[in-house]
Amino acid sequence: MSLKFNPGASELTAKEIATLKEMRTRCARRILLSTSLAASGHPGGSLSSLDILLVAYGLINHDSANPRMAERDRMVESIGHISPGVYSVLAENGYFSEEDFLIGFRRTGSGFPGHVESIVPGVEWDTGNLGQGLSTAVGMAHAFKIQGKKNRVFCLMGDGEQQKGQIAELFAMRSSISWITLPCLLTEINFRFAVVLKISCPSVCRSCTAA
């Protein structure tokens, strides 16, 4: 099932929270099943990012019946190894069946690779080395700005990739991309806790690089 939030609301309703909890339970089950059946994968990062992903897909403009519609928002997952979490949320939103995902995850030729790739319906780009997602997201936002389009771009990053040179270099460009407001969702994994920060680049880039 899919869930659409009112972006203008100050908080979620009790019904929305209850629905999110049900969705999270199903998605967490898929994460554990898929990685167990494949005997590989990254369940930890997927579980810690799950709440963020579910809320994000409830806020962005997307359509599982038309994954490539021109007016869709872009969700860029920079943490490519959390594919079990991303695929679980996409299955929850109706992009493909749970069975196809569970049976095919990390199987050669199945269409559900171990790292997030655009061969999967609903995925916007091919992930690889950590630290590349933010540059990709800024490039997308830049293109939409030039074209005069209203599409929004979101980027999900992990704490471990913040030390990557590519991210630091992009932050250093803040003066030349000051017209871009890009929501960045940062997961900071500290033992069993996940902290979510909403960053508007480049307004807080200085504090990011100084942390």
Side-chain angles (χ1 to χ4, degrees), residues 27 31 34-35 41-43 46 81-89 101 105 114:
C27 287
I31 290 171
S34 62
T35 52
H42 298 268
S46 296
H81 58 275
I82 64 164
S83 55
V86 175
Y87 300 163
S88 294
V89 171
F101 162 49
F105 181 60

Side-chain angles (χ1 to χ4, degrees), residues 4-16:
K4 292 295 183 182
F5 300 122
N6 176 10
S10 59
E11 59 184 27
L12 299 178
T13 66
K15 183 178 180 180
E16 287 173 334

Side-chain angles (χ1 to χ4, degrees), residues 61-62 66 68-74 150-152:
N61 180 29
H62 68 104
N66 186 14
R68 293 296 175 183
M69 68 175 185
E71 63 271 23
R72 73 189 185 280
D73 293 331
R74 304 301 198 265
K150 301 297 184 181
N151 306 61
R152 298 175 300 170

